[in-house]
Amino acid sequence: MLKLLISRKIALYLLAAVLVALLISAFLPNTYTLSPERWHDLQLHDPDRFWIYSHFSTPYLVRTPLFLGVSFLLCLSTLACTVDRLVKVGKARAVPFETEKVFSFSVTRCAAEDLETLREKVQRFLAHGKWEVGCEETAEGVILSGQKGRSGLWGSILFHAGLIACFVAGPVTVLGGFRGELIVTGDTPVSLRSTVVALEGYDAARVPDLQVEVKRLRGEYYRGEYRYDFGGILAVTDPKGSRELPFSVNRAANYEGYQFSLSEYGSAPRLVLERDGRPFFDYYLNLRHPEEGDYFDLDGGVRAMVMFFPDFVQQGERIGTKSKRPDHPVTLVRLFRGDRQVFQGLFQPGDEALWEGVRIRVPDFRHWVSLTVTSERGVLLVMLGSLLGVVGLFIRFLSNERRIEFTLAPAGEDAAEYRSTCTIRGYSRYYPAFLEKEVLAIDEAMDNEQ
Amino acid sequence: MAFWEEIFLWIAVAGYAVSFLLFLNALVFRKERLQVFGFNLTVAAFAAQTVAIAVRWYVTGHIPAMYTYENSLAGTWIIILTYLVLRRFFPPARPFAVAVTPLVLLILGNGMLSGGELRPLEPAFRSNWIFVHVLFAWFSFGSYLTAFCSGGMYLLKEKSHTGFLIRLPELKLLDELSLRLILFGFFAQSVMIASGAIWAHGLWGRYWGWDPVETWSLISWLVYGANLHLRVTLGWTGRRAAWLAVLSLFAVIFLYFGFGHGSSVHTVVF
């Protein structure tokens, strides 16, 4: 088992399996690529395709036990390979070039110096070039070697350690964290635990029992059209006291390990329906479909369609908004009985109308926000892993592990004017052309070495 | 688009187009002088594009990194920069322009068709991470693109040593160059993904969400990771490595043009 785990080929097969699975799943539609309406239609009208998409598209596939199992094995294999490399380096103190796939290139030169003088010259050259020097006596002669670029190995180890930290962050986040959505109207205190909607796989009961309220909501539009700045204050009250935390897009409010990120912003006109002076419907309506209008069920089979125009404009039969700034707010209310429209009215704040004995009022409007409530315990691991990985890769990119060997031997008897020979052989793991250049440059430099 | 931005951008587009034709002619008809003209023209077009970017930055008040047009404007600038830096340190890479310039024109064309309306920076983009995320994204794409050129030229040169192919760099150099470029691209893409995750945590409250753009960026990262392992661990070189460099780019093309951008939180940012 251990042999399998430390096999780099197995690690590559596992990587390929994860890659192919992700690649295929990425082509399948999911809740990100289809609108909620189309996703729902698919569920109703094509259950077979829906089943495939809801099991094998990426966001779903990555939660299946098989995918998680293969990913876990890949993580284990990465860990085992990294540890194995460390152990081997620790034992041998160097990575043997001769036993691994490397490039080599050599030139042989004859020298007029005797063996000892040549040896001193090579040693001076290696020391001058800051090579890690080694020496070995063999039957062929003296081998002086120099090695450089060992930091690349440590870069690789750092990168893989970072990768493992990121792997571990996944389960830490899922098992120890929380994700949910909180939709609140401005200046309306609510209980966090009972209002937050936990996403699938999370439990809202784990959220602390706090009272939250959003205040002083602001939505700014450049030239009344482009989103510019959105935010407000989140007031959190717990038994210890109350705190006010500013939040805006890109600047989440953090409270006791929970992050509140602004994800949606909209208008909420207040609609009041009264019969005989008694209100039977009185709500701030958080409108989420400014283009199509939002529908609400009332008593007696009546439905209301409500639209909000922040900067109302009317041209003949056509109505709309000049900008997104609430300079001239008007609320359109249509009432339907079945499919038949039975009432329509435009209301400025404070306006009211009468329909079949029902007083319809729109006294004012507020804003609402949707806050993503999260607790990501794994984020520190992700940051640490990313840092290690990036630093490791950078070291790996800059370093080029290579070795130069000088084999010094006495010249043969037929080479009368030369007293010794020197074979310069370079080994490099990755860059053959660079190696060739370097060996030729060393050969030339040896001529200039005093 | 601002007036001067448009003028300089069209000068750049024309420059890249003529430069591509000059390089093509130079390689096919073996005219060294045309290569020199082509390279100088690429530099001039790059300078014009730099002015166009500076004008847009000045007028909008933010780094051009929002939506398709600005991304293609800044991205192609970084791709050309990668080519010029490569050419500076590795002169035989000069003919790479024959592949780089048409791809740059394609990306710019796609961006210009999507419209270059002047807009202020949206709230979601107001983060210092935008500089790191976008810059490194394009550095990685630029590196992968030039690695693709290197791999493509290797395959062409390996097939035949006659005609214009004789003028391409040596096979060994092309092989080594594509590895170095992929390694740098992989590093840059890692920075892009890491910075994106940290930015996403602050913006959306989660560092990873399997959004299509995130998924494709992970896929392309894994593709290049596998590519490096095949070359470094299993010792793939030569033709196989060149095919790897060429085919891997498709993952990146999918990431940029493909499934993600139509329906992603990367487009509906807030």
Side-chain angles (χ1 to χ4, degrees):
Chain A
M1 183 66 183
L2 189 66
K3 265 191 177 175
L4 279 179
L5 275 180
I6 59 171
S7 157
R8 293 192 206 173
K9 273 192 181 171
I10 295 291
L12 260 175
Y13 287 138
L14 289 169
L15 175 63
V18 169
L19 182 56
V20 169
L22 278 179
L23 203 57
I24 295 169
S25 73
F27 285 97
L28 301 179
N30 56 53
T31 43
Y32 283 111
T33 55
L34 293 181
S35 64
E37 291 79 19
R38 284 193 62 193
W39 188 248
H40 186 64
D41 272 1
L42 197 70
Q43 188 176 11
L44 288 178
H45 302 118
D46 199 344
D48 295 335
R49 269 173 60 201
F50 178 79
W51 187 87
I52 293 171
Y53 297 164
S54 61
H55 282 80
F56 299 111
S57 62
T58 316
Y60 300 95
L61 176 89
V62 294
R63 291 186 210 152
T64 57
L66 183 65
F67 187 88
L68 290 173
V70 175
S71 303
F72 175 70
L73 279 178
L74 178 61
C75 175
L76 216 57
S77 167
T78 309
L79 180 67
C81 287
T82 308
V83 171
D84 180 57
R85 268 188 106 179
L86 270 173
V87 170
K88 276 184 184 159
V89 171
K91 275 183 188 165
R93 297 264 160 218
V95 180
F97 274 101
E98 297 79 357
T99 56
E100 295 206 4
K101 285 186 179 174
V102 290
F103 302 103
S104 76
F105 176 78
S106 69
V107 289
T108 301
R109 52 187 280 124
C110 296
E113 300 100 328
D114 61 45
L115 210 56
E116 198 50 41
T117 315
L118 188 62
R119 181 179 177 153
E120 282 170 15
K121 191 174 166 180
V122 170
Q123 274 173 334
R124 266 201 313 276
F125 173 80
L126 288 173
H128 185 68
K130 294 182 180 161
W131 294 81
E132 283 179 50
V133 185
C135 182
E136 202 183 337
E137 306 260 350
T138 66
E140 294 162 30
V142 180
I143 300 177
L144 289 168
S145 64
Q147 194 152 330
K148 263 187 183 176
R150 292 260 305 270
S151 54
L153 172 79
W154 293 104
S156 175
I157 286 168
L158 266 184
F159 167 69
H160 286 94
L163 215 53
I164 291 163
C166 290
F167 263 125
V168 175
V172 170
T173 302
V174 173
L175 298 174
F178 175 78
R179 280 189 67 76
E181 196 186 18
L182 178 72
I183 298 175
V184 271
T185 311
D187 305 308
T188 312
V190 293
S191 153
L192 177 63
R193 192 181 284 172
S194 56
T195 313
V196 71
V197 179
L199 294 191
E200 198 184 334
Y202 299 99
D203 184 7
R206 287 170 61 175
V207 175
D209 196 13
L210 311 167
Q211 192 184 62
V212 291
E213 180 184 353
V214 287
K215 297 176 178 174
R216 301 198 282 282
L217 289 177
R218 64 173 192 282
E220 291 174 25
Y221 297 89
Y222 176 74
R223 289 183 183 162
E225 190 180 351
Y226 302 113
R227 284 174 291 201
Y228 191 71
D229 189 21
F230 294 82
I233 302 287
L234 179 75
V236 184
T237 310
D238 65 8
K240 285 181 259 173
S242 187
R243 277 178 66 191
E244 291 203 338
L245 309 162
F247 68 90
S248 59
V249 180
N250 252 324
R251 189 176 160 210
N254 286 290
Y255 187 82
E256 310 250 322
Y258 284 84
Q259 182 172 305
F260 298 79
S261 316
L262 179 57
S263 62
E264 274 185 273
Y265 180 94
S267 303
R270 182 180 172 195
L271 179 65
V272 183
L273 303 180
E274 292 170 342
R275 186 174 280 126
D276 304 327
R278 279 199 304 260
F280 63 92
F281 185 96
D282 183 356
Y283 293 105
Y284 282 97
L285 304 173
N286 297 335
L287 304 183
R288 302 189 76 168
H289 302 92
E291 306 289 324
E292 307 89 17
D294 290 70
Y295 289 84
F296 302 89
D297 286 325
L298 309 176
D299 290 343
V302 177
R303 279 203 318 156
M305 192 282 284
V306 182
M307 281 178 89
F308 182 76
F309 303 98
D311 194 3
F312 182 74
V313 63
Q314 183 163 18
Q315 288 176 331
E317 291 291 297
R318 293 165 66 108
I319 55 172
T321 185
K322 271 192 290 189
S323 76
K324 291 173 181 169
R325 269 196 304 256
D327 291 339
H328 181 206
V330 167
T331 305
L332 167 70
V333 179
R334 282 183 182 144
L335 298 181
F336 295 88
R337 192 171 275 135
D339 289 336
R340 196 167 58 90
Q341 185 180 313
V342 291
F343 172 81
Q344 172 172 300
L346 289 166
F347 299 84
Q348 288 188 48
D351 283 356
E352 55 182 60
L354 210 60
W355 167 73
E356 292 184 0
V358 175
R359 185 178 299 277
I360 303 168
R361 294 197 293 127
V362 179
D364 61 346
F365 75 95
R366 289 181 183 175
H367 287 103
W368 64 272
V369 286
S370 170
L371 299 170
T372 306
V373 184
T374 51
S375 165
E376 293 207 307
R377 302 277 157 89
V379 76
L380 279 178
L381 271 174
V382 171
M383 286 184 185
L384 176 74
S386 301
L387 185 70
L388 285 177
V390 164
V391 170
L393 272 176
F394 192 62
I395 294 172
R396 189 81 202 75
F397 173 69
L398 289 183
S399 71
N400 171 21
E401 196 175 2
R402 61 207 188 274
R403 189 162 83 184
I404 303 291
E405 280 182 5
F406 296 81
T407 307
L408 312 179
E413 284 176 8
D414 49 333
E417 72 260 48
Y418 300 112
R419 297 169 70 185
S420 54
T421 62
C422 174
T423 303
I424 307 170
R425 179 176 287 279
Y427 295 94
S428 170
R429 208 169 289 282
Y430 312 116
Y431 305 124
F434 181 83
L435 177 78
E436 204 172 307
K437 264 190 191 170
E438 191 169 30
V439 170
L440 290 173
I442 288 172
D443 182 39
E444 206 180 307
M446 285 298 293
D447 284 334
N448 305 326
E449 188 73 28
Q450 296 300 313
Chain B
M1 245 186 261
F3 176 75
W4 286 109
E5 175 197 354
E6 197 166 357
I7 298 283
F8 278 100
L9 187 59
W10 278 111
I11 292 173
V13 167
Y16 291 139
V18 176
S19 159
F20 164 63
L21 293 175
L22 288 174
F23 269 103
L24 198 64
N25 265 295
L27 284 174
V28 174
F29 301 111
R30 293 201 230 170
K31 289 181 179 163
E32 181 64 23
R33 276 174 69 86
L34 288 186
Q35 268 208 51
V36 176
F37 287 147
F39 180 75
N40 291 339
L41 198 57
T42 308
V43 175
F46 177 74
Q49 193 180 355
T50 310
V51 176
I53 289 174
V55 170
R56 188 169 183 91
W57 195 327
Y58 176 74
V59 172
T60 60
H62 62 80
I63 179 177
M66 202 169 68
Y67 300 128
T68 308
Y69 167 72
E70 290 193 350
N71 267 312
S72 60
L73 186 67
T76 49
W77 186 82
I78 290 176
I79 289 174
I80 294 289
L81 178 70
T82 310
Y83 161 72
L84 293 177
V85 170
L86 185 68
R87 157 68 181 75
R88 168 74 183 76
F89 291 104
F90 183 67
R94 192 171 61 187
F96 281 21
V98 79
V100 170
T101 46
L103 283 166
V104 160
L105 284 171
L106 270 178
I107 297 172
L108 263 181
N110 177 59
M112 287 165 86
L113 282 175
S114 71
E117 200 179 1
L118 297 166
R119 289 177 175 202
L121 198 64
E122 291 211 353
F125 289 95
R126 278 196 217 132
S127 161
N128 288 333
W129 287 109
I130 194 171
F131 293 97
V132 184
H133 185 65
V134 175
L135 191 73
F136 279 87
W138 283 108
F139 267 129
S140 76
F141 294 167
S143 305
Y144 291 153
L145 187 64
T146 32
F148 163 85
C149 298
S150 185
M153 286 184 182
Y154 184 100
L155 294 171
L156 280 174
K157 181 144 187 167
E158 195 204 26
K159 215 171 176 183
S160 165
H161 282 275
T162 55
F164 73 91
L165 297 171
I166 210 160
R167 307 185 73 81
L168 298 178
E170 272 177 63
L171 288 178
K172 227 186 298 180
L173 279 175
L174 288 170
D175 191 34
E176 182 175 313
L177 195 64
S178 77
L179 176 61
R180 282 187 185 229
L181 285 165
I182 289 173
L183 194 54
F184 180 72
F186 190 69
F187 157 72
Q189 199 181 1
S190 305
V191 177
M192 174 198 90
I193 292 176
S195 58
I198 297 168
W199 184 5
H201 176 71
L203 178 60
W204 296 313
R206 49 67 173 178
Y207 59 82
W208 196 263
W210 298 109
D211 163 80
V213 169
E214 290 170 357
T215 305
W216 275 104
S217 80
L218 178 68
I219 289 173
S220 59
W221 189 74
L222 288 177
V223 164
Y224 279 98
N227 187 323
L228 285 173
H229 275 94
L230 287 170
R231 296 192 67 161
V232 171
T233 312
L234 298 190
W236 282 28
T237 52
R239 188 191 298 171
R240 285 194 298 186
W243 272 114
L244 273 180
V246 169
L247 294 176
S248 301
L249 192 79
F250 287 98
V252 175
I253 290 173
F254 255 114
L255 170 63
Y256 187 72
F257 292 107
F259 278 62
H261 275 82
S263 49
S264 153
V265 284
H266 279 74
T267 46
V268 188
V269 284
F270 160 56

